[in-house]
Amino acid sequence: MTEIFAKTEVDRRTLLRRAAAVGMLATPAVGLLSACVGGGEDEPTTQSTGTKSADNPLGIDTKAGVEIVIFNGGLGTAYATDVDTPLFNKKWADAKITYSATEQISTVIQPRINAGSPPDMINNSGSNLMDFGAIVKAGQAADLTDLFAAPSWDVAGKTVAETLVPGAVQQGTYDGKPFAMNYSYTVFGLWYNKKLFEKNSWTIPTTWADFTALLDKIKAAGITPFGYAGANASYYMVRALLTSAAKIGTEQSLKDIDNLKPGAWTADPIKQAAQAWGEVGNKYINKTFLGLKHTEVQLQQDQDKVAFYPCGSWLENEQAKDTPAGFEYAVAAFPSVTAADKLPATAINAAAGEIYFAAAKGKNPQGGKEYLRAMLSKEAALGFTKLTKSLTVVAGASDGQTISPGLTSANDMLTKAGQDVFVGYLFDTWYKKLDDESRGAVNDLMFKGGDAQKFCDRMEAASQAVAKDSSITKFTRS
């Protein structure tokens, strides 16, 4: 996988009307997280600090170096090297940035955190990301209250928080304090080649009957109608199934799952969604995809061998080097499963994500925060969008800009969704055992002819096992 949450472009005026859907407070109910995150050595006796002023609101040492580590995934790293760092050094020329990138954040960074020598700013992302809740509870993440209260880097008269879409600060809040900056904004849906669909006069469906009828047409044309990679991207399918469930029964269905409510996984919305998608797996998926990785299936889509692919809006950028001329990414909302769905066909799942944080016990935590302040400027946000084809949480940063086809499509989908944008679920980052089980269960459902009841019963048993395990910290959402 490339990313947890990340990547898309939307018109900021549209986003501002919807961003309340992003805001979500995750609060630990009891105890510490089970991940192994130590308190490290004693805090360094001399952390770099300077004098606060109007020009230096975070009080950084203007000559102290700042070490940053960026996850090298679907977003790439050019935004850090070509946009953020030059912007930072334009203002603070004597503050040398020490930069590195990795695809294995936990493997590389966790030992440094445990040893008390972390980088100053870390992009915690990817399939190997660290348990951020455990990092917060261990006192390893710096409180970002002063960052969000500081003046914006380039928007006069506003604090950093006031330049962000509603909910952006809350998304990284734990126990009432902000510890993470969730920078990018992802739209999830069914991705397809607009040119291929236009060539064949295929209309994007809004009902399940129209969806399966279209899948029949696509299959008759010799193209795999629907696919995802079972080897390392089965969570794409988990999200697709649970998005459908939320449209059937509202987001409350997903909140019940996150809160480990008994019967949440066997409730009608989940079972109906599993039934519908299980039939798609039985009839329209290439069973060999079970052993493929995400980029392998995505490459087949770029070659017009796969029609629909469930994914987040980082897809267009991730596939940029393999996308041929004449292929135009577009995204559609998952169609209504039943005629009685409580949310309309246009409803979608979209959320802020891609965690960046300053290390509390780094040599220069205030410098790490200042780097984040630079990232949250309109200039940096626009540069990020241009390089990654991804939206940030900085309001209005890309207004009036020409955007890519896939991001334009994502914007159109958000516009059609109106107020019907929901955050989705959080159990995948809260409870690893439950996340792992969901990936195996959905693969069995889609590739091995598993039925909906078996899927629901399996997940219900896994959920209640987590609920009864006192060694696992519990989280709640409302």
Side-chain angles (χ1 to χ4, degrees):
M1 132 150 195
T2 318
E3 242 314 352
I4 291 197
F5 270 126
K7 302 76 175 150
T8 120
E9 166 56 34
V10 289
D11 179 278
R12 298 312 177 130
R13 291 180 295 273
T14 299
L15 179 57
L16 282 167
R17 294 195 298 270
R18 293 167 184 71
V22 181
M24 145 101 34
L25 183 62
T27 305
V30 292
L32 290 177
L33 294 176
S34 59
C36 181
V37 179
E41 302 297 330
D42 291 338
E43 186 171 320
T45 55
T46 56
Q47 286 187 320
S48 298
T49 58
T51 302
K52 291 185 179 181
S53 66
D55 191 51
N56 185 8
L58 295 178
I60 71 166
D61 179 343
T62 61
K63 295 184 178 181
V66 181
E67 183 184 0
I68 66 168
V69 176
I70 302 296
F71 170 66
N72 185 10
L75 291 173
T77 60
Y79 68 90
T81 57
D82 299 356
V83 177
D84 299 336
T85 295
L87 181 65
F88 182 93
N89 282 142
K90 184 178 179 180
K91 183 177 181 65
W92 308 115
D94 294 329
K96 179 183 177 182
I97 300 296
T98 301
Y99 159 87
S100 61
T102 180
E103 295 180 6
Q104 302 294 319
I105 289 293
S106 181
T107 301
V108 173
I109 302 302
Q110 193 73 69
R112 293 187 58 184
I113 287 180
N114 292 343
S117 60
D120 300 307
M121 196 285 289
I122 302 159
N123 172 204
N124 184 37
S125 187
S127 58
N128 187 239
L129 85 167
M130 298 177 291
D131 185 333
F132 189 67
I135 289 172
V136 171
K137 294 302 264 185
Q140 297 286 3
D143 183 347
L144 301 183
T145 298
D146 56 346
L147 164 65
F148 292 121
S152 164
W153 188 278
D154 60 2
V155 180
K158 289 190 176 183
T159 65
V160 171
E162 290 169 341
T163 67
L164 308 182
V165 298
V169 175
Q170 286 78 8
Q171 189 98 13
T173 296
Y174 290 73
D175 288 337
K177 293 182 179 180
F179 291 97
M181 180 187 78
N182 292 272
Y183 192 58
S184 59
Y185 193 79
T186 302
V187 173
F188 298 95
L190 280 170
W191 290 83
Y192 63 97
N193 178 6
K194 183 179 180 181
K195 295 296 184 181
L196 175 67
F197 276 57
E198 289 175 345
K199 175 183 176 182
N200 290 280
S201 299
W202 292 336
T203 303
I204 297 301
T206 57
T207 69
W208 207 259
D210 288 344
F211 182 43
T212 55
L214 176 56
L215 296 182
D216 283 329
K217 291 180 181 179
I218 294 170
K219 187 175 182 178
I223 299 171
T224 299
F226 175 87
Y228 73 95
N232 71 336
S234 51
Y235 60 94
Y236 292 4
M237 190 61 230
V238 175
R239 185 171 293 277
L241 190 157
L242 293 183
T243 296
S244 292
K247 294 174 79 163
I248 295 169
T250 77
E251 192 177 14
Q252 186 60 48
S253 298
L254 308 189
K255 292 179 180 180
D256 289 345
I257 285 175
D258 285 344
N259 292 333
L260 305 176
K261 180 179 178 180
W265 281 99
T266 54
D268 284 344
I270 312 300
K271 185 175 180 180
Q272 289 174 331
Q275 179 69 36
W277 280 112
E279 291 174 358
V280 170
N282 285 333
K283 293 182 178 180
Y284 304 111
I285 204 169
N286 184 332
K287 298 300 192 291
T288 67
F289 288 1
L290 175 61
L292 297 186
K293 295 181 178 180
H294 66 296
T295 50
E296 294 173 312
V297 177
Q298 290 163 195
L299 180 60
Q300 289 200 36
Q301 185 180 41
D302 289 337
Q303 298 168 344
D304 284 337
K305 296 177 181 178
V306 178
F308 283 118
Y309 184 73
C311 196
S313 47
W314 63 81
L315 176 64
E316 183 181 33
N317 185 63
E318 184 175 51
Q319 291 301 110
K321 64 180 177 59
D322 294 317
T323 304
F327 189 105
E328 186 174 311
Y329 273 110
V331 62
F334 293 106
S336 297
V337 175
T338 76
D341 282 9
K342 293 183 179 179
L343 295 179
T346 52
I348 63 170
N349 173 207
E354 191 74 7
I355 291 174
Y356 297 76
F357 72 99
K361 298 183 180 180
K363 293 180 180 178
N364 189 4
Q366 291 305 102
K369 294 180 189 180
E370 181 71 352
Y371 194 92
L372 294 176
R373 191 168 76 101
M375 287 182 66
L376 290 169
S377 67
K378 292 186 93 172
E379 181 178 349
L382 176 57
F384 179 92
T385 294
K386 287 180 176 179
L387 285 171
T388 67
K389 301 181 178 66
S390 305
L391 178 68
T392 74
V393 293
V394 181
S398 58
D399 283 353
Q401 301 295 317
T402 300
I403 56 178
S404 66
L407 301 184
T408 299
S409 179
N411 176 52
D412 291 343
M413 190 167 70
L414 279 163
T415 300
K416 292 175 182 176
Q419 297 300 312
D420 296 308
V421 179
F422 53 91
V423 172
Y425 55 87
L426 298 175
F427 75 86
D428 58 332
T429 57
W430 288 356
Y431 309 116
K432 188 177 187 303
K433 289 183 179 179
L434 195 56
D435 179 42
D436 289 344
E437 191 69 12
S438 72
R439 298 180 187 212
V442 84
N443 274 348
D444 284 354
L445 176 70
M446 298 299 292
F447 290 109
K448 299 181 180 180
D451 63 44
Q453 191 63 55
K454 286 183 178 179
F455 172 85
C456 293
D457 290 344
R458 177 177 174 177
M459 291 309 303
E460 179 66 17
S463 172
Q464 291 313 296
V466 170
K468 295 174 183 177
D469 189 339
S470 60
S471 70
I472 299 175
T473 298
K474 307 306 190 295
F475 289 76
T476 59
R477 61 179 289 198
S478 58

